[in-house]
Amino acid sequence: MNEWIYVALFMIVGAIIPIGAIVAGFIFGPKKPNPIKQSTYECGIEPVGDVWVQFKAQYYIFALVFLVFDVEAVFLFPWAVKLGQLGLYAVVEGIVFISILIVGLVYTWRKGMLEWS
Amino acid sequence: MTPEKIIFLIVAGATLASGLMVVTTRNLIHAALWLVATLFGVAAVFAILNAGFIAVVQIVVYVGAIAILFIFAVMLTRKDMRDSGPQHNKNWWAGALLAVMTFGGLVFLVQSWASLSKAAADIPSGFDAVSQLGNQLTSPNAYVLPFEVASVLLLAAMVGAVYVAFNRK
Amino acid sequence: MNFWTDPLKVAAEWLEGILTGWGMDAIFAHVLVVFLGVLLLITILMVLDIFLVWIERKVVSRFQDRIGPNRVGPYGLIQPFADIIKLIIKEDTTPDGADKVVYNLAPILSMMSVLIVWAVVPIAPVILGTDLNVGVLFLIAAGAIGTLSIIMAGWSSNNKFALIGGFRQVAMMVAFEIPMLTMLLIPTIFAGSMNMNAIIQAQGSIWYFFLSPLGTLIFLIAVIAELGRAPFDLAEGESELVAGYNTEYSGMKFGMFYAGELLHAMTFGGIWGILFFGGYRFFGLEQVSPFLAVLIFLAKALIGYWVIMWVKYTMMRIRIDQMLAFNWMFLTPLSFVLLMVTALANALLAGTSIWVYGIGMFASNIILGWVALEIVRSYSRKEREKLEGPRKVAEAHH
């Protein structure tokens, strides 16, 4: 039998429990909405302007660098599993693989993209 | 129908439906979240096929990184995302035609493929896909060169991204 | 095989026997029994979670030289139940302009992302959810859902503070996922498997903490950042962002975020124990009874949780630029170098006795950590001199 069934069951039960708790809160809690209560909470000060604040482009760069390393790590997992049984050449292959990416990190660093300005 | 087939049909249907929502919803963040649902459905299909490693990688890379990247990209734009103009321009029929033709071509190709009707062989017990993959990726007789080239490709992606962002400054 | 050596299997077979006896389909009965098992485990976790509230409050008060909850019940043990009743009877407000569906989905996903981690956590040799052969990566996949829930909460609340807090938190979580993934590779290399149970079994002769002390430390730092706890709690810096992504949540929805964070901390304390401190293993005691193994695992998880709390209540908050610089310019390069050194040492020392291997690994880690710290020290000295000018000679004589 497919072992992912268990994972699916964990997801179902893991969703049911918080839903149950939130529904219980909804049932037992009072419901008296008013415009002031519903307004955005900004420490008691009247909200000014649009919620849509523009974000730094830096966030995007960090996400991109993260994506590259994420994919790299995923490639390294099968390599790591077999490493103990393979010889030194597999280790060297992995080191070359990582070194190439470290070059990328150093390039990003030198261009000043890793600094939060 | 076996239970597996029923589960597959439910998952496939949900994946297609959320894929449709990605292109029809008007709110960009909602579109990104529906995309996450689509990618999640694809991961579930991999899991049904017993390809556990690929399923987990799908979640880690697509939901964990690419979806986040999309949402960050959407947040970078200045415009309010809640409303935008019409969702199609006057070339919509050309796009639709191209999509239908691609789909028809794919159906034709898959139909003429002999292995389509063949049932897949059972996976031998004790078969460890991850360690097989590790063997193939590091063996000089197999895929060691693509493995290293993948690293160069990732390097190129990183350098390109930095270059684009650097020039905009 | 009896109940005391393999309780789950015996109980499951007994239940399945009853169910099939009623004329139920065998597969359906199996799935139903597994469902009940999962429900039992998650219920136990939620009850544990309630007591984690008490533990956290009691420990923080001790760190801050207070007594903590001590009025409701003996040692204040009933206090968390009072807290829960309060959370349930609070009004559940939804701010104007919030995206209702996404707003309500976020706390559910947040809790779920923590609970599904337990699908791969081996609590005892025979008590475990499932034996996935990709267990280690599954942790990261579950974390991806948690990251998503934070973005959803921050965006749907229609609140600037929530949005900024959510984005800070996500930027931090993705940043520290790189050292975390890299450190997950180290037990994978030692054990030759991504299966959590296999990683524990492979620690029979030596805990991986002794083979990779630096890796243990980097993993702990990455976990703390992933949890968003101090010193990395800048996403909910209460003096600037109210409470970060969960600012607008109230009642039980806030409770889900809060309980999820506590359980997440305890879970990752346990995973830290599994990957580097032998999980349910403790000098062969786990062989005596699976129930003893559960207790050992729980003790290690709580010790890991205590270490995370210790860090939280000792350190001050750092700024976002410091956090990102620390990760991308120090922790990420260091973890990659550590991975390469570990892989190389593992190949070079293969075949030697456990003592030579262990001492070699330990020494290589310590040397690497020392070199990294020296580089950072000389860099920070240079930075400081740039800001303050060279240190005066007269001061140095004092």
Side-chain angles (χ1 to χ4, degrees), chain C residues 267-325:
Chain C
T267 306
F268 270 84
I271 292 195
W272 194 47
I274 287 174
L275 294 174
F276 296 100
F277 295 94
Y280 50 69
R281 277 181 170 276
F282 196 74
F283 300 111
L285 273 179
E286 78 281 357
Q287 305 293 345
V288 179
S289 158
F291 295 100
L292 207 56
V294 171
L295 286 182
I296 293 167
F297 173 72
L298 202 62
K300 282 183 183 174
L302 286 174
I303 290 170
Y305 178 45
W306 186 81
V307 171
I308 292 170
M309 279 194 281
W310 182 22
V311 174
K312 174 172 176 174
Y313 295 117
T314 310
M315 310 279 257
M316 65 285 190
R317 180 182 307 144
I318 62 173
R319 284 201 314 264
I320 187 164
D321 59 324
Q322 293 166 333
M323 180 273 288
L324 288 167

Coordinates of all heavy atoms in Angstrom, one line a residue, chain C residues 267-325:
Chain C
T267 N 8.5 20.6 18.5 CA 8.8 19.6 17.4 C 10.2 19.7 16.9 O 10.9 18.7 16.7 CB 7.8 19.8 16.2 OG1 6.5 19.8 16.7 CG2 7.9 18.8 15.2
F268 N 10.7 20.9 16.7 CA 12.0 21.1 16.1 C 13.1 20.8 17.2 O 14.2 20.4 16.9 CB 12.2 22.4 15.4 CG 11.8 22.2 13.9 CD1 10.5 22.3 13.5 CD2 12.8 21.9 13.0 CE1 10.2 22.1 12.2 CE2 12.5 21.7 11.7 CZ 11.2 21.8 11.3
G269 N 12.7 21.0 18.5 CA 13.6 20.5 19.5 C 13.8 19.0 19.4 O 14.9 18.5 19.5
G270 N 12.7 18.3 19.1 CA 12.7 16.9 19.0 C 13.5 16.5 17.7 O 14.3 15.5 17.7
I271 N 13.4 17.2 16.6 CA 14.1 16.9 15.4 C 15.6 17.1 15.6 O 16.4 16.4 15.1 CB 13.4 17.7 14.2 CG1 12.1 17.1 14.1 CG2 14.3 17.6 13.0 CD1 11.3 17.3 12.9
W272 N 15.9 18.2 16.3 CA 17.3 18.4 16.6 C 17.9 17.2 17.4 O 18.9 16.7 17.1 CB 17.4 19.7 17.5 CG 18.7 20.3 17.7 CD1 19.6 20.5 16.7 CD2 19.3 20.7 18.9 NE1 20.7 21.1 17.2 CE2 20.6 21.2 18.6 CE3 18.9 20.7 20.2 CZ2 21.4 21.7 19.6 CZ3 19.7 21.3 21.2 CH2 21.0 21.8 20.8
G273 N 17.0 16.7 18.3 CA 17.4 15.5 19.1 C 17.6 14.3 18.2 O 18.5 13.5 18.4
I274 N 16.7 14.2 17.2 CA 16.7 13.0 16.3 C 18.0 13.0 15.4 O 18.7 12.0 15.3 CB 15.5 12.9 15.5 CG1 14.3 12.5 16.3 CG2 15.6 12.0 14.3 CD1 13.0 12.6 15.5
L275 N 18.2 14.2 14.9 CA 19.3 14.3 13.9 C 20.7 14.2 14.5 O 21.6 13.7 13.9 CB 19.1 15.5 13.0 CG 17.9 15.6 12.1 CD1 17.8 16.9 11.5 CD2 17.9 14.5 11.1
F276 N 20.8 14.8 15.7 CA 22.2 14.9 16.2 C 22.4 14.3 17.6 O 23.5 14.1 18.0 CB 22.6 16.4 16.3 CG 22.6 17.1 14.9 CD1 21.6 17.9 14.5 CD2 23.8 16.9 14.1 CE1 21.7 18.5 13.2 CE2 23.8 17.5 12.9 CZ 22.8 18.3 12.4
F277 N 21.3 13.9 18.3 CA 21.5 13.4 19.6 C 20.8 12.0 19.7 O 20.4 11.6 20.8 CB 20.9 14.3 20.7 CG 21.7 15.6 20.7 CD1 21.3 16.7 20.0 CD2 22.9 15.7 21.5 CE1 22.0 17.9 20.1 CE2 23.6 16.9 21.5 CZ 23.1 18.0 20.8
G278 N 20.7 11.3 18.6 CA 20.2 9.9 18.7 C 18.8 9.6 18.9 O 18.4 8.5 19.2
G279 N 17.9 10.7 18.9 CA 16.5 10.5 19.0 C 16.1 9.6 20.2 O 16.4 10.0 21.3
Y280 N 15.4 8.5 20.0 CA 14.9 7.7 21.1 C 16.0 6.8 21.7 O 15.8 6.1 22.6 CB 13.7 6.9 20.7 CG 13.9 6.1 19.4 CD1 14.8 5.0 19.4 CD2 13.2 6.4 18.3 CE1 15.0 4.3 18.3 CE2 13.4 5.7 17.1 CZ 14.3 4.6 17.1 OH 14.5 3.9 16.0
R281 N 17.2 6.9 21.1 CA 18.3 6.1 21.7 C 18.9 6.7 22.9 O 19.1 7.8 23.0 CB 19.4 6.0 20.6 CG 19.2 4.9 19.6 CD 20.3 4.9 18.6 NE 20.2 3.7 17.7 CZ 20.6 2.5 18.1 NH1 21.2 2.3 19.3 NH2 20.5 1.5 17.3
F282 N 19.2 5.8 23.9 CA 19.9 6.2 25.1 C 20.5 5.0 25.7 O 19.9 4.4 26.6 CB 19.0 7.0 26.1 CG 19.7 7.8 27.1 CD1 20.3 9.0 26.7 CD2 19.8 7.4 28.4 CE1 21.0 9.7 27.7 CE2 20.5 8.1 29.3 CZ 21.1 9.3 29.0
F283 N 21.7 4.7 25.3 CA 22.5 3.6 25.9 C 21.7 2.3 26.0 O 21.7 1.6 27.0 CB 23.0 3.9 27.3 CG 23.9 5.1 27.3 CD1 23.5 6.3 27.8 CD2 25.2 5.1 26.6 CE1 24.3 7.5 27.8 CE2 26.0 6.2 26.6 CZ 25.6 7.4 27.2
G284 N 21.0 2.0 24.9 CA 20.3 0.7 24.8 C 19.0 0.6 25.6 O 18.3 -0.4 25.6
L285 N 18.6 1.7 26.3 CA 17.4 1.7 27.1 C 16.2 1.6 26.2 O 15.1 1.0 26.6 CB 17.3 3.0 27.9 CG 17.9 3.0 29.3 CD1 17.7 4.3 30.0 CD2 17.3 1.9 30.1
E286 N 16.3 2.0 24.9 CA 15.1 2.0 24.0 C 14.8 0.6 23.7 O 13.6 0.3 23.3 CB 15.4 2.8 22.8 CG 16.3 2.1 21.7 CD 17.8 2.2 22.0 OE1 18.1 2.8 23.1 OE2 18.6 1.6 21.3
Q287 N 15.7 -0.4 23.9 CA 15.4 -1.8 23.6 C 14.5 -2.4 24.6 O 13.8 -3.4 24.3 CB 16.7 -2.6 23.5 CG 17.8 -2.1 22.6 CD 17.4 -2.2 21.1 OE1 16.4 -2.9 20.8 NE2 18.1 -1.5 20.3
V288 N 14.5 -1.8 25.8 CA 13.8 -2.4 26.9 C 12.3 -2.4 26.6 O 11.6 -3.4 26.7 CB 14.1 -1.7 28.3 CG1 13.3 -2.3 29.4 CG2 15.6 -1.7 28.5
S289 N 11.8 -1.3 26.3 CA 10.3 -1.1 26.0 C 10.1 0.1 25.2 O 10.8 1.1 25.3 CB 9.6 -1.0 27.4 OG 8.3 -0.4 27.1
P290 N 9.2 0.0 24.2 CA 8.9 1.1 23.4 C 8.4 2.3 24.2 O 8.6 3.5 23.8 CB 7.8 0.6 22.4 CG 7.5 -0.7 22.8 CD 8.4 -1.2 23.8
F291 N 7.8 2.0 25.3 CA 7.2 3.1 26.2 C 8.4 3.9 26.8 O 8.3 5.2 26.9 CB 6.3 2.6 27.2 CG 5.1 1.9 26.7 CD1 5.0 0.6 26.5 CD2 4.0 2.7 26.2 CE1 3.9 0.0 26.0 CE2 2.9 2.1 25.6 CZ 2.8 0.8 25.5
L292 N 9.5 3.2 27.1 CA 10.6 3.9 27.6 C 11.3 4.8 26.5 O 11.7 5.9 26.8 CB 11.6 2.9 28.1 CG 12.6 3.3 29.2 CD1 11.8 3.8 30.4 CD2 13.5 2.2 29.6
A293 N 11.3 4.2 25.3 CA 11.8 5.0 24.1 C 11.0 6.3 23.9 O 11.6 7.3 23.7 CB 11.8 4.1 22.9
V294 N 9.7 6.2 24.1 CA 8.9 7.4 23.9 C 9.3 8.4 25.0 O 9.5 9.6 24.7 CB 7.4 7.0 24.1 CG1 6.6 8.3 24.1 CG2 6.9 6.2 22.9
L295 N 9.5 8.0 26.2 CA 9.9 8.9 27.3 C 11.2 9.5 27.0 O 11.4 10.7 27.2 CB 9.9 8.2 28.6 CG 8.6 7.8 29.2 CD1 8.8 7.2 30.6 CD2 7.8 9.1 29.4
I296 N 12.2 8.7 26.5 CA 13.5 9.2 26.1 C 13.4 10.3 25.0 O 14.0 11.4 25.1 CB 14.5 8.1 25.7 CG1 14.8 7.2 26.8 CG2 15.8 8.7 25.1 CD1 15.4 5.9 26.4
F297 N 12.6 10.0 24.0 CA 12.4 11.0 22.9 C 11.8 12.2 23.4 O 12.2 13.3 23.1 CB 11.6 10.4 21.8 CG 11.2 11.4 20.8 CD1 12.2 11.8 19.9 CD2 10.0 11.9 20.7 CE1 11.9 12.8 18.9 CE2 9.7 12.8 19.7 CZ 10.6 13.3 18.8
L298 N 10.8 12.1 24.3 CA 10.1 13.3 24.8 C 11.0 14.1 25.6 O 11.0 15.3 25.5 CB 8.9 12.8 25.7 CG 7.8 13.8 25.9 CD1 7.2 14.2 24.5 CD2 6.7 13.3 26.8
A299 N 11.9 13.4 26.4 CA 12.8 14.2 27.3 C 13.8 14.9 26.4 O 14.1 16.1 26.6 CB 13.6 13.2 28.1
K300 N 14.3 14.3 25.3 CA 15.2 15.0 24.4 C 14.5 16.2 23.7 O 15.1 17.2 23.5 CB 15.8 14.0 23.4 CG 16.9 13.2 23.9 CD 17.5 12.2 22.9 CE 18.5 11.3 23.6 NZ 19.0 10.3 22.6
A301 N 13.3 16.0 23.3 CA 12.5 17.0 22.6 C 12.4 18.2 23.6 O 12.5 19.4 23.2 CB 11.2 16.5 22.2
L302 N 12.0 17.9 24.9 CA 11.8 19.0 25.8 C 13.1 19.7 26.1 O 13.1 20.9 26.3 CB 11.1 18.5 27.1 CG 9.6 18.2 26.9 CD1 9.1 17.5 28.1 CD2 8.9 19.4 26.5
I303 N 14.2 18.9 26.1 CA 15.5 19.6 26.4 C 15.8 20.5 25.2 O 16.3 21.7 25.4 CB 16.6 18.5 26.6 CG1 16.4 17.9 28.0 CG2 18.0 19.2 26.6 CD1 17.3 16.6 28.2
G304 N 15.6 20.0 24.0 CA 15.8 20.9 22.8 C 15.0 22.1 22.9 O 15.4 23.2 22.6
Y305 N 13.7 21.9 23.3 CA 12.8 23.1 23.4 C 13.3 24.0 24.5 O 13.2 25.3 24.3 CB 11.4 22.5 23.8 CG 10.3 23.5 24.0 CD1 10.1 24.6 23.2 CD2 9.5 23.4 25.1 CE1 9.1 25.5 23.4 CE2 8.4 24.3 25.3 CZ 8.3 25.3 24.5 OH 7.3 26.2 24.7
W306 N 13.8 23.5 25.5 CA 14.3 24.3 26.6 C 15.5 25.2 26.1 O 15.6 26.3 26.4 CB 14.8 23.5 27.8 CG 15.2 24.3 29.0 CD1 14.3 24.9 29.9 CD2 16.5 24.7 29.3 NE1 15.0 25.6 30.8 CE2 16.4 25.6 30.4 CE3 17.7 24.4 28.8 CZ2 17.5 26.1 31.1 CZ3 18.8 25.0 29.4 CH2 18.7 25.8 30.5
V307 N 16.4 24.5 25.3 CA 17.5 25.3 24.7 C 17.0 26.4 23.9 O 17.6 27.5 24.0 CB 18.5 24.3 23.9 CG1 19.5 25.1 23.2 CG2 19.1 23.3 24.9
I308 N 16.0 26.1 23.1 CA 15.5 27.2 22.2 C 14.9 28.3 23.1 O 15.1 29.5 22.8 CB 14.4 26.6 21.3 CG1 15.1 25.7 20.3 CG2 13.6 27.7 20.5 CD1 14.1 24.8 19.5
M309 N 14.2 28.0 24.2 CA 13.7 29.0 25.1 C 14.8 29.8 25.7 O 14.7 31.0 25.9 CB 12.8 28.4 26.1 CG 11.4 28.0 25.7 SD 10.4 27.7 27.1 CE 10.8 26.0 27.4
W310 N 15.9 29.1 26.1 CA 17.0 29.7 26.8 C 17.6 30.8 25.9 O 17.9 31.9 26.3 CB 18.0 28.6 27.0 CG 19.3 29.0 27.8 CD1 19.4 30.1 28.5 CD2 20.5 28.3 27.8 NE1 20.7 30.1 29.0 CE2 21.4 29.0 28.6 CE3 21.0 27.1 27.2 CZ2 22.7 28.6 28.8 CZ3 22.3 26.7 27.4 CH2 23.1 27.5 28.2
V311 N 17.8 30.4 24.6 CA 18.3 31.4 23.6 C 17.3 32.6 23.5 O 17.7 33.7 23.6 CB 18.5 30.7 22.3 CG1 18.9 31.8 21.2 CG2 19.6 29.7 22.4
K312 N 16.0 32.2 23.4 CA 15.0 33.3 23.2 C 15.0 34.3 24.3 O 15.0 35.5 24.1 CB 13.6 32.6 23.1 CG 12.5 33.7 23.0 CD 11.2 33.1 22.7 CE 10.1 34.2 22.8 NZ 8.8 33.7 22.4
Y313 N 15.1 33.8 25.6 CA 15.0 34.8 26.7 C 16.3 35.4 27.1 O 16.4 36.0 28.1 CB 14.2 34.1 27.8 CG 12.8 33.8 27.4 CD1 12.4 32.5 27.3 CD2 12.0 34.8 27.0 CE1 11.1 32.2 26.9 CE2 10.7 34.5 26.6 CZ 10.3 33.2 26.5 OH 9.0 32.9 26.1
T314 N 17.4 35.0 26.4 CA 18.7 35.6 26.8 C 19.1 36.6 25.8 O 19.8 37.6 26.1 CB 19.7 34.5 26.8 OG1 19.2 33.4 27.6 CG2 21.0 34.9 27.4
M315 N 18.8 36.5 24.5 CA 19.3 37.3 23.5 C 18.4 38.5 23.2 O 17.2 38.5 23.4 CB 19.5 36.5 22.2 CG 20.2 35.2 22.3 SD 21.9 35.5 22.4 CE 22.3 34.9 20.8
M316 N 19.0 39.6 22.7 CA 18.2 40.7 22.2 C 17.9 40.6 20.7 O 18.5 39.8 20.1 CB 18.9 42.0 22.5 CG 20.2 42.2 21.7 SD 21.5 41.2 22.4 CE 22.9 41.9 21.5
R317 N 17.0 41.4 20.3 CA 16.5 41.3 18.9 C 17.6 41.9 18.0 O 18.2 42.9 18.3 CB 15.2 42.0 18.7 CG 14.6 41.9 17.3 CD 13.3 42.7 17.3 NE 12.4 42.2 18.4 CZ 11.6 42.9 19.1 NH1 11.6 44.2 18.9 NH2 10.8 42.4 20.0
I318 N 17.8 41.3 16.8 CA 18.7 41.9 15.8 C 17.9 42.6 14.7 O 16.8 42.3 14.5 CB 19.8 41.0 15.3 CG1 19.1 39.8 14.5 CG2 20.6 40.4 16.4 CD1 20.1 38.9 13.8
R319 N 18.6 43.5 14.0 CA 17.9 44.2 12.9 C 17.9 43.3 11.6 O 18.6 42.4 11.5 CB 18.7 45.5 12.5 CG 18.5 46.6 13.5 CD 18.9 47.9 12.8 NE 20.1 47.8 12.0 CZ 21.3 48.2 12.5 NH1 21.4 48.7 13.7 NH2 22.4 48.1 11.7
I320 N 17.0 43.7 10.7 CA 16.8 42.9 9.5 C 18.1 42.8 8.7 O 18.5 41.8 8.1 CB 15.6 43.3 8.7 CG1 15.4 42.3 7.5 CG2 15.8 44.7 8.1 CD1 14.0 42.4 6.9
D321 N 18.8 44.0 8.6 CA 20.0 43.9 7.8 C 21.1 43.1 8.4 O 21.8 42.3 7.7 CB 20.6 45.4 7.5 CG 20.9 46.1 8.8 OD1 20.1 45.8 9.8 OD2 21.8 46.9 8.9
Q322 N 21.1 43.1 9.8 CA 22.1 42.3 10.5 C 21.8 40.8 10.3 O 22.6 40.0 10.1 CB 22.1 42.6 12.0 CG 22.6 44.0 12.3 CD 22.3 44.4 13.7 OE1 21.3 44.0 14.2 NE2 23.1 45.3 14.2
M323 N 20.4 40.5 10.4 CA 20.0 39.1 10.2 C 20.4 38.6 8.9 O 20.9 37.5 8.7 CB 18.5 39.1 10.5 CG 17.9 37.7 10.4 SD 17.4 37.3 8.7 CE 16.0 38.4 8.5
L324 N 20.1 39.4 7.8 CA 20.3 38.9 6.4 C 21.8 38.8 6.2 O 22.3 37.8 5.6 CB 19.7 39.8 5.4 CG 18.2 39.7 5.4 CD1 17.5 40.8 4.6 CD2 17.7 38.4 4.8
A325 N 22.6 39.8 6.7 CA 24.1 39.7 6.5 C 24.6 38.5 7.2 O 25.5 37.8 6.7 CB 24.7 41.0 7.0

